[in-house]
Amino acid sequence: MIVNPLRVVSSVAIIAFAVIWTIVVLAAEEQWQVGAALAVAAVAIVAVSRMKAGAELASLLTDSGSWVVWTIPVAVVAIAVAIHEDHFQLMMLASVLIYGLACIGLTIQFGYAGVINFAGAAFFGVGGYTAAVMGSTGVPSLLILLAGGFMAALIGSIIILPVLRTQGHYAALITIAFGLLFRSFLEVNPALGGPQGLKVEGASVAGHSLLNGITFGSFEASFYLNYVLLALAAFTLFFLLARNLEKSWIGLNLDAVREDTVGASVFGINVAGWRIFAFVVGNFLIGVAGALFAMMQNFIAPSNFTFSDSLLMLSIIVLGGIGNLWAVLPAAILVVVFPEKLQGIGEYRILVFAILVVLVLRFRPAGLFPRAMRQFRREVGQ
């Protein structure tokens, strides 16, 4: 693919604006500042969507090679360095990355294969409780993260069996029921702390505890910067894998299963097999995110994994644009950060968030950043 320099320049300008806007949002303390940031974001999204630069950025992110993925760690590191001393701001940034990782899993399930999952918080909790149980065993933290993913995938491989027997809202009800049963199981199980929850050991990498702050010469940063970097590494890795999966023949099969199960089966595509694949892989990523979240918080309880938390995860992929991986982080900022920043208006912040969701679904039903149509190109000479 030949890259147009002007397109790259305009795209870099948009990304730079997004980085500066995110820093301002994370640093905002007054309610009027948060409201102004929302207004600026709304105007910018409308303007970019109507400008050629917006289409060029979407084309660059969609059609370019894997190198374009590295814009994510560059942008996040720039944000993290700008706020490196503030514990709360870094914790929010790490939470955005963790929820973004979980929503990559939901995108594979819902956006790619069309498999409904209203129990995202439950699989998130499976990963978290796996980290809590294994934290005192001496197992390396990175292996615990993988164990949290594998445990969520294992349970998901069981839940998917009744889901395959149903369709539509009946399948949704099965995942909702699992989420409710999971929370009830935690509350009545004293071995897992009951309703009081469990303490979770902090993560450590290569013998370095992430609970220790980063000091490099005169540079001193909050210990939450460690979790930002770990969450960023996990997010970038799985984002790259999911992007390559979407562009491969596997992604093509998943698209066929989502759009027309009957037509896909007629052409020899194993519909049940691909749905199982998407559900298991998606839950693996959600479980990894849950384990990392538990390590960062150092404590988990059943109240962390409610049905409303599942809806929060779903709202991220719906607001961003179903099936668009690039929309996960911007939508996660809106859903995770803004309710926390609007604490000053009490419960009215939920009303503000609900109005935002209604407006987006009314005027941009495909999401703030809709998924680009899959393009099929014939090479020259073929």
PDB file of all heavy atoms in Angstrom, residues 326-347:
ATOM      1  N   TRP A 326     -10.494  -0.004  16.578  1.00  0.00           N
ATOM      2  CA  TRP A 326      -9.907   1.306  16.831  1.00  0.00           C
ATOM      3  C   TRP A 326     -10.823   2.185  17.678  1.00  0.00           C
ATOM      4  O   TRP A 326     -10.372   3.189  18.244  1.00  0.00           O
ATOM      5  CB  TRP A 326      -9.588   2.014  15.516  1.00  0.00           C
ATOM      6  CG  TRP A 326      -8.490   1.362  14.759  1.00  0.00           C
ATOM      7  CD1 TRP A 326      -8.627   0.498  13.703  1.00  0.00           C
ATOM      8  CD2 TRP A 326      -7.089   1.475  15.002  1.00  0.00           C
ATOM      9  NE1 TRP A 326      -7.394   0.078  13.270  1.00  0.00           N
ATOM     10  CE2 TRP A 326      -6.426   0.662  14.045  1.00  0.00           C
ATOM     11  CE3 TRP A 326      -6.320   2.190  15.919  1.00  0.00           C
ATOM     12  CZ2 TRP A 326      -5.043   0.553  13.988  1.00  0.00           C
ATOM     13  CZ3 TRP A 326      -4.946   2.078  15.874  1.00  0.00           C
ATOM     14  CH2 TRP A 326      -4.313   1.265  14.917  1.00  0.00           C
ATOM     15  N   ALA A 327     -12.094   1.848  17.742  1.00  0.00           N
ATOM     16  CA  ALA A 327     -13.044   2.656  18.512  1.00  0.00           C
ATOM     17  C   ALA A 327     -13.089   2.274  19.985  1.00  0.00           C
ATOM     18  O   ALA A 327     -13.731   2.969  20.782  1.00  0.00           O
ATOM     19  CB  ALA A 327     -14.444   2.525  17.906  1.00  0.00           C
ATOM     20  N   VAL A 328     -12.411   1.191  20.366  1.00  0.00           N
ATOM     21  CA  VAL A 328     -12.525   0.677  21.734  1.00  0.00           C
ATOM     22  C   VAL A 328     -11.992   1.674  22.754  1.00  0.00           C
ATOM     23  O   VAL A 328     -12.673   1.992  23.750  1.00  0.00           O
ATOM     24  CB  VAL A 328     -11.796  -0.678  21.845  1.00  0.00           C
ATOM     25  CG1 VAL A 328     -11.614  -1.069  23.309  1.00  0.00           C
ATOM     26  CG2 VAL A 328     -12.581  -1.766  21.124  1.00  0.00           C
ATOM     27  N   LEU A 329     -10.790   2.188  22.545  1.00  0.00           N
ATOM     28  CA  LEU A 329     -10.194   3.093  23.539  1.00  0.00           C
ATOM     29  C   LEU A 329     -10.923   4.431  23.635  1.00  0.00           C
ATOM     30  O   LEU A 329     -11.192   4.900  24.749  1.00  0.00           O
ATOM     31  CB  LEU A 329      -8.705   3.311  23.233  1.00  0.00           C
ATOM     32  CG  LEU A 329      -7.772   2.152  23.598  1.00  0.00           C
ATOM     33  CD1 LEU A 329      -6.331   2.540  23.337  1.00  0.00           C
ATOM     34  CD2 LEU A 329      -7.951   1.723  25.043  1.00  0.00           C
ATOM     35  N   PRO A 330     -11.266   5.100  22.509  1.00  0.00           N
ATOM     36  CA  PRO A 330     -12.040   6.341  22.659  1.00  0.00           C
ATOM     37  C   PRO A 330     -13.357   6.148  23.396  1.00  0.00           C
ATOM     38  O   PRO A 330     -13.732   6.959  24.244  1.00  0.00           O
ATOM     39  CB  PRO A 330     -12.269   6.782  21.199  1.00  0.00           C
ATOM     40  CG  PRO A 330     -11.168   6.149  20.430  1.00  0.00           C
ATOM     41  CD  PRO A 330     -10.899   4.848  21.102  1.00  0.00           C
ATOM     42  N   ALA A 331     -14.065   5.049  23.086  1.00  0.00           N
ATOM     43  CA  ALA A 331     -15.333   4.785  23.766  1.00  0.00           C
ATOM     44  C   ALA A 331     -15.104   4.442  25.231  1.00  0.00           C
ATOM     45  O   ALA A 331     -15.910   4.815  26.092  1.00  0.00           O
ATOM     46  CB  ALA A 331     -16.080   3.655  23.060  1.00  0.00           C
ATOM     47  N   ALA A 332     -14.012   3.736  25.536  1.00  0.00           N
ATOM     48  CA  ALA A 332     -13.718   3.393  26.931  1.00  0.00           C
ATOM     49  C   ALA A 332     -13.446   4.646  27.751  1.00  0.00           C
ATOM     50  O   ALA A 332     -13.809   4.714  28.934  1.00  0.00           O
ATOM     51  CB  ALA A 332     -12.520   2.446  26.995  1.00  0.00           C
ATOM     52  N   ILE A 333     -12.824   5.640  27.143  1.00  0.00           N
ATOM     53  CA  ILE A 333     -12.601   6.905  27.853  1.00  0.00           C
ATOM     54  C   ILE A 333     -13.932   7.554  28.207  1.00  0.00           C
ATOM     55  O   ILE A 333     -14.143   8.033  29.331  1.00  0.00           O
ATOM     56  CB  ILE A 333     -11.740   7.854  26.993  1.00  0.00           C
ATOM     57  CG1 ILE A 333     -10.324   7.297  26.850  1.00  0.00           C
ATOM     58  CG2 ILE A 333     -11.690   9.255  27.621  1.00  0.00           C
ATOM     59  CD1 ILE A 333      -9.456   8.077  25.898  1.00  0.00           C
ATOM     60  N   LEU A 334     -14.865   7.560  27.248  1.00  0.00           N
ATOM     61  CA  LEU A 334     -16.177   8.149  27.507  1.00  0.00           C
ATOM     62  C   LEU A 334     -16.926   7.404  28.604  1.00  0.00           C
ATOM     63  O   LEU A 334     -17.539   8.010  29.484  1.00  0.00           O
ATOM     64  CB  LEU A 334     -17.009   8.155  26.222  1.00  0.00           C
ATOM     65  CG  LEU A 334     -16.556   9.104  25.106  1.00  0.00           C
ATOM     66  CD1 LEU A 334     -17.410   8.886  23.874  1.00  0.00           C
ATOM     67  CD2 LEU A 334     -16.634  10.552  25.557  1.00  0.00           C
ATOM     68  N   VAL A 335     -16.876   6.076  28.575  1.00  0.00           N
ATOM     69  CA  VAL A 335     -17.693   5.266  29.482  1.00  0.00           C
ATOM     70  C   VAL A 335     -17.052   5.106  30.854  1.00  0.00           C
ATOM     71  O   VAL A 335     -17.748   5.082  31.871  1.00  0.00           O
ATOM     72  CB  VAL A 335     -17.964   3.889  28.844  1.00  0.00           C
ATOM     73  CG1 VAL A 335     -18.688   2.966  29.821  1.00  0.00           C
ATOM     74  CG2 VAL A 335     -18.777   4.040  27.567  1.00  0.00           C
ATOM     75  N   VAL A 336     -15.733   5.016  30.908  1.00  0.00           N
ATOM     76  CA  VAL A 336     -15.040   4.755  32.178  1.00  0.00           C
ATOM     77  C   VAL A 336     -14.659   6.045  32.899  1.00  0.00           C
ATOM     78  O   VAL A 336     -14.855   6.178  34.106  1.00  0.00           O
ATOM     79  CB  VAL A 336     -13.787   3.883  31.934  1.00  0.00           C
ATOM     80  CG1 VAL A 336     -13.008   3.697  33.232  1.00  0.00           C
ATOM     81  CG2 VAL A 336     -14.181   2.523  31.362  1.00  0.00           C
ATOM     82  N   VAL A 337     -14.130   7.007  32.157  1.00  0.00           N
ATOM     83  CA  VAL A 337     -13.563   8.206  32.790  1.00  0.00           C
ATOM     84  C   VAL A 337     -14.634   9.226  33.146  1.00  0.00           C
ATOM     85  O   VAL A 337     -14.664   9.753  34.268  1.00  0.00           O
ATOM     86  CB  VAL A 337     -12.499   8.842  31.873  1.00  0.00           C
ATOM     87  CG1 VAL A 337     -11.991  10.156  32.480  1.00  0.00           C
ATOM     88  CG2 VAL A 337     -11.338   7.878  31.671  1.00  0.00           C
ATOM     89  N   PHE A 338     -15.539   9.517  32.217  1.00  0.00           N
ATOM     90  CA  PHE A 338     -16.468  10.625  32.440  1.00  0.00           C
ATOM     91  C   PHE A 338     -17.411  10.403  33.630  1.00  0.00           C
ATOM     92  O   PHE A 338     -17.673  11.349  34.384  1.00  0.00           O
ATOM     93  CB  PHE A 338     -17.253  10.911  31.165  1.00  0.00           C
ATOM     94  CG  PHE A 338     -16.515  11.821  30.227  1.00  0.00           C
ATOM     95  CD1 PHE A 338     -15.753  11.299  29.199  1.00  0.00           C
ATOM     96  CD2 PHE A 338     -16.556  13.190  30.385  1.00  0.00           C
ATOM     97  CE1 PHE A 338     -15.056  12.123  28.336  1.00  0.00           C
ATOM     98  CE2 PHE A 338     -15.867  14.037  29.536  1.00  0.00           C
ATOM     99  CZ  PHE A 338     -15.106  13.498  28.502  1.00  0.00           C
ATOM    100  N   PRO A 339     -17.957   9.196  33.846  1.00  0.00           N
ATOM    101  CA  PRO A 339     -18.777   9.034  35.062  1.00  0.00           C
ATOM    102  C   PRO A 339     -18.007   9.317  36.340  1.00  0.00           C
ATOM    103  O   PRO A 339     -18.575   9.845  37.302  1.00  0.00           O
ATOM    104  CB  PRO A 339     -19.210   7.560  34.977  1.00  0.00           C
ATOM    105  CG  PRO A 339     -19.217   7.248  33.527  1.00  0.00           C
ATOM    106  CD  PRO A 339     -18.043   8.007  32.973  1.00  0.00           C
ATOM    107  N   GLU A 340     -16.710   8.982  36.366  1.00  0.00           N
ATOM    108  CA  GLU A 340     -15.900   9.279  37.546  1.00  0.00           C
ATOM    109  C   GLU A 340     -15.643  10.775  37.680  1.00  0.00           C
ATOM    110  O   GLU A 340     -15.629  11.328  38.779  1.00  0.00           O
ATOM    111  CB  GLU A 340     -14.566   8.532  37.466  1.00  0.00           C
ATOM    112  CG  GLU A 340     -14.684   7.026  37.624  1.00  0.00           C
ATOM    113  CD  GLU A 340     -15.185   6.630  38.992  1.00  0.00           C
ATOM    114  OE1 GLU A 340     -14.877   7.349  39.974  1.00  0.00           O
ATOM    115  OE2 GLU A 340     -15.888   5.618  39.101  1.00  0.00           O
ATOM    116  N   LYS A 341     -15.442  11.436  36.557  1.00  0.00           N
ATOM    117  CA  LYS A 341     -15.172  12.869  36.578  1.00  0.00           C
ATOM    118  C   LYS A 341     -16.411  13.684  36.933  1.00  0.00           C
ATOM    119  O   LYS A 341     -16.300  14.843  37.331  1.00  0.00           O
ATOM    120  CB  LYS A 341     -14.638  13.317  35.217  1.00  0.00           C
ATOM    121  CG  LYS A 341     -13.237  12.816  34.912  1.00  0.00           C
ATOM    122  CD  LYS A 341     -12.219  13.429  35.850  1.00  0.00           C
ATOM    123  CE  LYS A 341     -10.816  12.973  35.516  1.00  0.00           C
ATOM    124  NZ  LYS A 341      -9.796  13.619  36.387  1.00  0.00           N
ATOM    125  N   LEU A 342     -17.589  13.081  36.772  1.00  0.00           N
ATOM    126  CA  LEU A 342     -18.839  13.792  37.057  1.00  0.00           C
ATOM    127  C   LEU A 342     -19.393  13.443  38.441  1.00  0.00           C
ATOM    128  O   LEU A 342     -20.593  13.576  38.686  1.00  0.00           O
ATOM    129  CB  LEU A 342     -19.878  13.477  35.980  1.00  0.00           C
ATOM    130  CG  LEU A 342     -19.552  13.993  34.576  1.00  0.00           C
ATOM    131  CD1 LEU A 342     -20.566  13.488  33.568  1.00  0.00           C
ATOM    132  CD2 LEU A 342     -19.510  15.521  34.567  1.00  0.00           C
ATOM    133  N   GLN A 343     -18.531  12.978  39.344  1.00  0.00           N
ATOM    134  CA  GLN A 343     -18.964  12.627  40.694  1.00  0.00           C
ATOM    135  C   GLN A 343     -19.585  13.816  41.417  1.00  0.00           C
ATOM    136  O   GLN A 343     -20.427  13.659  42.291  1.00  0.00           O
ATOM    137  CB  GLN A 343     -17.772  12.100  41.508  1.00  0.00           C
ATOM    138  CG  GLN A 343     -17.239  10.763  41.052  1.00  0.00           C
ATOM    139  CD  GLN A 343     -18.083   9.595  41.520  1.00  0.00           C
ATOM    140  OE1 GLN A 343     -19.051   9.783  42.240  1.00  0.00           O
ATOM    141  NE2 GLN A 343     -17.722   8.392  41.107  1.00  0.00           N
ATOM    142  N   GLY A 344     -19.166  15.024  41.053  1.00  0.00           N
ATOM    143  CA  GLY A 344     -19.651  16.212  41.743  1.00  0.00           C
ATOM    144  C   GLY A 344     -21.134  16.462  41.582  1.00  0.00           C
ATOM    145  O   GLY A 344     -21.739  17.163  42.402  1.00  0.00           O
ATOM    146  N   ILE A 345     -21.747  15.898  40.547  1.00  0.00           N
ATOM    147  CA  ILE A 345     -23.185  16.098  40.361  1.00  0.00           C
ATOM    148  C   ILE A 345     -23.978  14.899  40.865  1.00  0.00           C
ATOM    149  O   ILE A 345     -25.174  14.771  40.564  1.00  0.00           O
ATOM    150  CB  ILE A 345     -23.520  16.382  38.887  1.00  0.00           C
ATOM    151  CG1 ILE A 345     -23.090  15.210  37.998  1.00  0.00           C
ATOM    152  CG2 ILE A 345     -22.863  17.658  38.428  1.00  0.00           C
ATOM    153  CD1 ILE A 345     -23.481  15.400  36.535  1.00  0.00           C
ATOM    154  N   GLY A 346     -23.302  14.016  41.622  1.00  0.00           N
ATOM    155  CA  GLY A 346     -24.001  12.899  42.260  1.00  0.00           C
ATOM    156  C   GLY A 346     -24.599  11.932  41.255  1.00  0.00           C
ATOM    157  O   GLY A 346     -24.008  11.629  40.212  1.00  0.00           O
ATOM    158  N   GLU A 347     -25.785  11.445  41.575  1.00  0.00           N
ATOM    159  CA  GLU A 347     -26.438  10.447  40.736  1.00  0.00           C
ATOM    160  C   GLU A 347     -26.891  11.020  39.399  1.00  0.00           C
ATOM    161  O   GLU A 347     -27.249  10.260  38.490  1.00  0.00           O
ATOM    162  CB  GLU A 347     -27.640   9.848  41.477  1.00  0.00           C
ATOM    163  CG  GLU A 347     -27.267   9.018  42.691  1.00  0.00           C
ATOM    164  CD  GLU A 347     -26.335   7.868  42.334  1.00  0.00           C
ATOM    165  OE1 GLU A 347     -26.538   7.236  41.274  1.00  0.00           O
ATOM    166  OE2 GLU A 347     -25.382   7.627  43.099  1.00  0.00           O
TER     167      GLU A 347
END
